[in-house]
Amino acid sequence: MKIVVKFGGSSLASAKQFKKVADIIRADKGRRYVVPSAPGKRNDKDEKVTDLLYQCYDAASQGKSYKKILEKIRDRYEEIIDGLHLNLNLDHQFQIIEENFQAGVGRDYAASRGEYLNGILMAAYLGIEFIDAADVVFFDENGNFLSEETNRELEERLAHTERAVIPGFYGSAKDGSIRTFSRGGSDITGSIVARAIHADLYENWTDVSGFLVADPRIVEDPEVIETITYKELRELSYMGASVLHEDAIFPVRKEGIPIHIRNTNRPQDKGTLIVENTCRKPRHIITGIAGKKGFCSMYIEKAMMNSEVGFGRKVLGVLEEQGISFEHMPSGIDTMTVFIHQTEFMAHEQQVIAGIHRAAAPDFIDLESDLALVAVVGRGMKGSRGTAARVFAALAHARINIKMIDQGSSESNIIVGVRNEDFEEAIRAIYDVFVTTEI
Ligand code: ASP
């Protein structure tokens, strides 16, 4: 077995957490490649090292006092080194970091040092090789990830390396500058390493026992999803469910490698297995519910719209000109409605309205704001009768008015639009019908 293990920030926030991580790695010989994040929060009031690094760099590059923040960062690592009784001295590392901060080498460089140093600590603690991600993960000059170059280099390098620690989150551009993925990007590094070594499994260790059917801030103690497909995960993540970085599925998806979300603090829990496809029946008809607030709708009416070829293109062309992407577009005979992110729309509101009048000459345009979208996702919905009816009945019982309905013919999701103020109640009502009572 070849397993890549990625550990999130809270799994590596202290010496105690490092010990749990080492126990997990040693419990399975297949766990050969380790991708660490930077130390995260030790408790609710704590700060993530990555955030401290950004603060410190901003202060240093603006000529403000930064030494206290740098000390705080150093203390975090020293505490781990002491707790693990490691024979490691970071003087030289911190001297280079400080010089680079003063020279203003870039925020990406600053942020990356969290993972870089944690990687050095982890490699020393496990007694295995450290590979600097800057040598094996590549970006172009605009900061776009170069997947194929990276894959070639990593594949070659790791073919001769039995075990290694490769820090997450960053890599380098051709000019040698350090570049990072967006926040939470160590998940992507784990996935890239898994692809390069043709791993049997990519384990992503975090502080929750898997992907939940619904947001625990909305539904009390929601069930954990045991198995989910990449496609379902993509839909739920897009709609706001967050455990894994959205882009982390792409490298492993190419190879059909499963991702297993596990809890470092509860390794006995099953976690969630993310797969390309599966015959395993989901426990309920739906796999998950997620959603987002903050949309607005633009309703457009025009007599004989149905026979006007190109009407939709003209409307969407105006949005494109303004750089606005749309989410959904249900239509009637002489009407169409476009759902758009409210903040994006508001920045260009009047230009959009004027543009549509000019391009498509509608009879009437109406706007409604403060709407939310709720997505009910599940591979089990395909071909099963009555799922939509149950969603709508749940909302009707909860006295929630539905503003929009969208179900693609893939039948793997149903999206409903509701008012922002009804958002939480809508999710609870749907959860209740499909999971709690299962009527
Ligand atoms: N340390 C980075 C962050 O806080 C990356 C990661 O943890 O994945 O976003």
Side-chain angles (χ1 to χ4, degrees), residues 329-383:
M329 194 179 56
S331 58
I333 300 171
D334 291 334
T335 66
M336 67 184 274
T337 309
V338 192
F339 272 73
I340 318 161
H341 280 282
Q342 195 160 324
T343 41
E344 239 180 276
F345 179 69
M346 275 163 62
H348 305 271
E349 184 185 73
Q350 296 310 313
Q351 290 97 312
V352 172
I353 295 174
I356 291 175
H357 274 294
R358 229 174 288 128
D363 296 333
F364 177 63
I365 300 178
D366 194 20
L367 300 176
E368 184 163 357
S369 57
D370 301 323
L371 300 175
L373 294 174
V374 176
V376 184
V377 175
R379 60 189 184 281
M381 282 160 37
K382 194 173 167 71

Side-chain angles (χ1 to χ4, degrees), residues 240-436:
S242 67
V243 169
L244 192 72
H245 191 294
E246 258 191 83
D247 295 340
I249 53 174
F250 297 112
V252 283
R253 196 176 183 165
K254 285 195 177 151
E255 291 263 327
I257 301 166
I259 308 176
H260 200 175
I261 308 281
R262 303 284 302 268
N263 188 345
T264 303
N265 304 316
R266 291 185 56 86
Q268 69 277 21
D269 288 354
K270 270 186 162 173
T272 299
L273 194 65
I274 308 164
V275 294
E276 165 77 38
N277 219 328
T278 177
C279 288
R280 286 192 210 181
K281 291 262 170 300
R283 201 177 315 158
H284 310 285
I285 294 269
I286 63 160
T287 303
I289 314 161
K292 281 195 233 175
K293 287 184 180 176
F295 291 91
C296 63
S297 69
M298 181 168 57
Y299 168 84
I300 306 165
E301 209 177 276
K302 185 177 185 185
M304 309 298 283
M305 183 194 291
N306 68 324
S307 55
E308 186 177 328
V309 176
F311 187 89
R313 181 186 51 75
K314 289 175 198 159
V315 170
L316 296 183
V318 174
L319 294 178
E320 188 180 352
E321 269 166 34
Q322 299 295 329
I324 299 174
S325 68
F326 75 96
E327 297 293 309
H328 294 277
M329 194 179 56
S331 58
I333 300 171
D334 291 334
T335 66
M336 67 184 274
T337 309
V338 192
F339 272 73
I340 318 161
H341 280 282
Q342 195 160 324
T343 41
E344 239 180 276
F345 179 69
M346 275 163 62
H348 305 271
E349 184 185 73
Q350 296 310 313
Q351 290 97 312
V352 172
I353 295 174
I356 291 175
H357 274 294
R358 229 174 288 128
D363 296 333
F364 177 63
I365 300 178
D366 194 20
L367 300 176
E368 184 163 357
S369 57
D370 301 323
L371 300 175
L373 294 174
V374 176
V376 184
V377 175
R379 60 189 184 281
M381 282 160 37
K382 194 173 167 71
S384 90
R385 270 174 299 139
T387 314
R390 285 162 73 189
V391 171
F392 304 145
L395 297 176
H397 280 128
R399 302 189 163 278
I400 294 170
N401 181 34
I402 301 175
K403 310 291 293 182
M404 190 236 17
I405 301 166
D406 197 348
Q407 183 197 286
S409 46
S410 76
E411 294 182 61
S412 61
N413 67 14
I414 296 173
I415 299 188
V416 289
V418 298
R419 263 186 255 282
N420 273 351
E421 68 219 42
D422 291 332
F423 175 70
E424 285 84 5
E425 199 45 49
I427 291 185
R428 279 193 284 270
I430 297 169
Y431 183 90
D432 202 36
V433 161
F434 286 96
V435 182
T436 316

